[in-house]
Amino acid sequence: HLLLNDLTKLLEEGLDYLVEVRKRQASGNTGGPADQQGNAQGGNAEEEERVPDALQDNGTRNVEQMDFERLQSMCRGNLELGNGCVRLLWRMSKELASVVLSDQVILEQVVTTLNCTLDHLVGPKSLQLKVNNPAEYGFDPRKLLSEVCDTYVYLQRADNEKHGGGRVVGEISREARYFSTEKFNKAVRIVRRENLMRADMLKEFDQMAKSLSETGGMGKKIEEMLNAADDIPDEFLDPVMNELMTDPVRLPTSGNVVDRKTIMRTLLSDGRDPFNRRELSVDQLQPMPELKARIEAWIAQKVALISQNM
């Protein structure tokens, strides 16, 4: 989980660096920092006021203040690691998809990484990635898009075989930051036009996009309406995220009940009960089947009412 988080961040930062590279190339400013252009007569005032990279908020570097050589180096390094991340997900989904599907937290993170990458490649800002000599930065959008789309298909195949389908598509559509049906439809058109997928893989990816178009938006809307309901019983709410639980578990170290996916994220990075900081492991979590059944019954009742009014 932590590795995927870090690699996703590196890939996203690498693509953001690439956007800045394109801006510098378009403006002809391939020397010092972007804010130095046109300030040749300004002396060193700008440089004196500049906040050092190490003191930027959260340790991040101000991209616009990097000199071009440094920007290129950061872009190459991050994209190299980011490409490795996508390649790793491609290999995992091809060879070990059932393992990915067996852990809800890992599946969510994989889907977020894939949706994030797809957003950069075919989303509204994709044209900003068109730099001169992309290979110089290790950027191959065709290969990257091909691997991302293949990964979706491999996960969907395993889902169909092991779980009867629906789980991967549901997870993709629930990811709120990057997902949209339009991006999947656009990806289908691009990979078909550029011949980036085998015929059988393309057929399955096309079907996935159609399924997302038919059900993705609706499922996302229903989930938002459920969480926005003002009559959710307090015992159904996750005390950490304040969201409706779907798989409640009891923490024996503190007695609190939380959603499994919430505590799994915590344990994968910390290994302690968030309520009292006592050591806690996954195998200690205590399922709450009766509470889960009540939540599922409440959700079913609400979904039926929502569907009638839509």
Side-chain angles (χ1 to χ4, degrees):
H1 174 67
L2 290 176
L3 177 62
L4 285 173
N5 266 337
D6 291 343
L7 291 176
T8 301
K9 182 179 179 181
L10 287 171
L11 176 61
E12 192 167 12
E13 287 182 349
L15 294 172
D16 287 342
Y17 288 140
L18 202 62
V19 171
E20 179 64 19
V21 167
R22 182 180 185 277
K23 287 169 58 179
R24 302 278 188 94
Q25 291 176 342
S27 67
N29 181 28
T30 55
D35 57 7
Q36 285 184 1
Q37 187 177 19
N39 292 331
Q41 298 179 353
N44 295 322
E46 291 278 349
E47 185 64 24
E48 291 173 359
E49 295 178 2
R50 177 181 173 187
V51 179
D53 288 338
L55 298 181
Q56 297 291 337
D57 291 343
N58 300 320
T60 59
R61 300 184 182 280
N62 189 320
V63 177
E64 293 184 352
Q65 292 180 345
M66 286 184 188
D67 63 60
F68 193 60
E69 185 176 346
R70 174 64 173 167
L71 176 64
Q72 288 180 304
S73 176
M74 293 292 290
C75 184
R76 279 191 294 268
N78 282 43
L79 284 179
E80 180 180 356
L81 292 171
N83 288 335
C85 169
V86 174
R87 187 67 180 177
L88 173 64
L89 296 184
W90 179 87
R91 178 63 64 183
M92 287 175 59
S93 67
K94 185 177 181 180
E95 307 291 345
L96 300 167
S98 59
V99 175
V100 176
L101 293 174
S102 68
D103 190 307
Q104 180 64 25
V105 175
I106 297 299
L107 177 60
E108 289 177 5
Q109 186 60 51
V110 168
V111 165
T112 298
T113 301
L114 294 174
N115 284 2
C116 171
T117 309
L118 192 71
D119 172 63
H120 279 82
L121 294 175
V122 305
K125 298 181 180 180
S126 58
L127 293 178
Q128 297 179 17
L129 299 176
K130 292 191 174 182
V131 299
N132 299 330
N133 302 318
E136 180 182 348
Y137 304 97
F139 181 55
D140 186 345
R142 291 165 56 88
K143 181 179 179 182
L144 203 55
L145 181 59
S146 174
E147 290 181 344
V148 166
C149 295
D150 278 354
T151 302
Y152 282 121
V153 172
Y154 287 134
L155 292 174
Q156 182 62 32
R157 283 181 176 179
D159 185 24
N160 290 337
E161 293 174 2
K162 303 290 185 181
H163 305 283
R167 188 177 173 202
V168 170
V169 167
E171 202 58 56
I172 291 171
S173 65
R174 281 192 294 272
E175 190 279 312
R177 183 176 179 186
Y178 303 105
F179 169 74
S180 77
T181 57
E182 292 80 6
K183 293 169 190 171
F184 274 81
N185 292 330
K186 184 177 180 180
V188 169
R189 294 195 298 271
I190 293 173
V191 295
R192 178 181 288 120
R193 184 187 68 215
E194 302 296 328
N195 195 29
L196 300 181
M197 301 178 76
R198 296 198 323 257
D200 60 324
M201 300 285 283
L202 175 57
K203 182 178 179 180
E204 293 177 58
F205 185 60
D206 185 28
Q207 184 57 53
M208 174 183 282
K210 289 177 180 176
S211 297
L212 287 166
S213 295
E214 294 170 359
T215 64
M218 182 68 71
K220 192 173 182 179
K221 187 173 183 179
I222 289 176
E223 184 174 5
E224 290 174 351
M225 294 177 73
L226 285 173
N227 277 308
D230 57 9
D231 60 342
I232 302 176
D234 289 342
E235 65 171 338
F236 293 179
L237 288 172
D238 182 296
V240 177
M241 304 300 294
N242 197 37
E243 294 178 348
L244 183 65
M245 295 187 289
T246 57
D247 187 9
V249 294
R250 182 179 179 276
L251 312 184
T253 42
S254 65
N256 288 282
V257 175
V258 300
D259 204 18
R260 183 182 294 275
K261 64 182 180 182
T262 300
I263 191 61
M264 286 294 291
R265 291 193 189 99
T266 300
L267 295 181
L268 284 170
S269 59
D270 185 36
R272 294 181 181 276
D273 186 321
F275 297 95
N276 58 18
R277 306 300 300 156
R278 293 176 61 185
E279 290 188 3
L280 179 65
S281 60
V282 173
D283 58 357
Q284 291 179 281
L285 301 179
Q286 300 172 350
M288 305 283 288
E290 294 182 0
L291 176 57
K292 182 177 181 180
R294 293 201 301 276
I295 293 173
E296 290 174 345
W298 184 88
I299 290 175
Q301 183 182 38
K302 284 291 183 180
V303 169
L305 290 174
I306 291 172
S307 299
Q308 288 175 8
N309 296 323
M310 294 182 74

